[in-house]
Amino acid sequence: MRNIKIIVQYNGANYCGWQEQPDSLGIQGNIEYAIKEITKEKVKINGSGRTDAGVHAIGQVANFKIESKIDVSRIPDALNSKLPKDISIIDAEEVDEDFHARYSAKGKVYRYLVYNSRYRNPILKDISYQVKYDLDFDKMKKAAESLVGTHDFCGFMSSGSSIKDTVRTIRNVKIEKEGDLIVFEFEGNGFLYNMVRIISGTLIDIGRGKIEENMEEIIKSKNRSNAGHTAPGHALFLKKVFY
């Protein structure tokens, strides 16, 4: 069996998320269908993580095992010919047998887009979170500094997760502004369920003055009610996975 690693980009607007649901194939199911069409083999692919409904990816990583002798360089074009236009395979390579897209991952980078204007943007409306309130950019940047390091982020996790170990390390946070567009980027060794969206919502709430506590106090409280709202999924991107 050959172990194939692929890099996937997708616009998640029309999907239930990475994992298939009873009434939807999801991103995963569409790729599995394309693989079967090309190789005539039924496979199960492993993703680096499960993105939620509406979430996008610039650099999702997945792997699968096949017996087919198809040249690995042909795999992206072959799969793309069978995939919907909002899913694209941009790279493929043959990797060691023990490589696993999820369990071999050492870290990830997520990007979150905030459009800070009272007027909607028809170009960005489906991939950014419009916030009409004035935001204090410097205050958000200062708050983000407290996120860097190893902390118990249980206060930034949505209910419904079965994860017991809620300690994670955030290696770097970037907040950049270009016109009305604010870009958050978070690099860490792993993220809890909805953690990036809750952090983004908290930074926004701090920026508009809705939350007075500083970020360090919110983290130390380990209390979800002290953090901000959960920002919507349609503005979130999985940018990169590290191995």
Side-chain angles (χ1 to χ4, degrees), residues 146-238:
S146 297
L147 294 165
V148 178
T150 301
H151 309 287
D152 186 339
F153 284 101
C154 64
F156 294 86
M157 179 178 67
S158 289
S159 60
S161 174
S162 59
I163 296 294
K164 302 300 181 185
D165 180 7
T166 52
V167 175
R168 296 292 184 273
T169 299
I170 292 185
R171 299 167 183 153
N172 191 29
V173 178
K174 293 181 184 178
I175 303 182
E176 298 178 342
K177 191 175 190 296
E178 184 174 337
D180 293 325
L181 187 65
I182 301 173
V183 181
F184 300 156
E185 280 198 2
F186 308 95
E187 177 185 339
N189 67 346
F191 295 88
L192 303 170
Y193 180 48
N194 281 343
M195 178 173 160
V196 175
R197 291 167 58 188
I198 295 170
I199 288 176
S200 297
T202 303
L203 289 172
I204 291 167
D205 287 345
I206 288 173
R208 62 175 287 201
K210 191 175 180 181
I211 292 180
E212 296 299 331
E213 294 89 355
N214 64 49
M215 185 67 83
E216 187 175 357
E217 291 172 343
I218 296 170
I219 294 170
K220 286 180 178 178
S221 76
K222 303 180 186 179
N223 189 332
R224 173 67 187 91
S225 64
N226 290 334
H229 70 288
T230 303
H234 73 273
L236 180 62
F237 296 75
L238 172 56

Side-chain angles (χ1 to χ4, degrees), residues 14-80:
N14 295 321
Y15 298 97
C16 60
W18 171 262
Q19 191 175 26
E20 64 181 296
Q21 301 295 331
D23 58 346
S24 176
L25 281 177
I27 309 298
Q28 174 188 0
N30 274 281
I31 299 174
E32 289 174 350
Y33 173 81
I35 295 170
K36 187 175 181 181
E37 286 289 294
I38 297 300
T39 67
K40 309 306 177 188
E41 299 175 52
K42 186 176 182 180
V43 303
K44 193 76 172 175
I45 66 173
N46 307 302
S48 70
R50 300 173 181 174
T51 52
D52 292 333
V55 176
H56 319 290
I58 301 170
Q60 170 71 289
V61 177
N63 76 290
F64 56 91
K65 295 185 178 181
I66 54 173
E67 294 181 350
S68 171
K69 303 300 182 184
I70 183 173
D71 192 309
V72 72
S73 66
R74 291 185 53 231
I75 289 177
D77 286 336
L79 294 182
N80 288 338

Side-chain angles (χ1 to χ4, degrees), residues 116 133-143 175 177 182 184 203-209:
N116 188 204
Y133 307 98
D134 290 336
L135 295 176
D136 187 326
F137 183 71
D138 292 333
K139 197 173 181 181
M140 291 191 297
K141 285 198 74 171
K142 180 66 176 176
I175 303 182
K177 191 175 190 296
I182 301 173
F184 300 156
L203 289 172
I204 291 167
D205 287 345
I206 288 173
R208 62 175 287 201

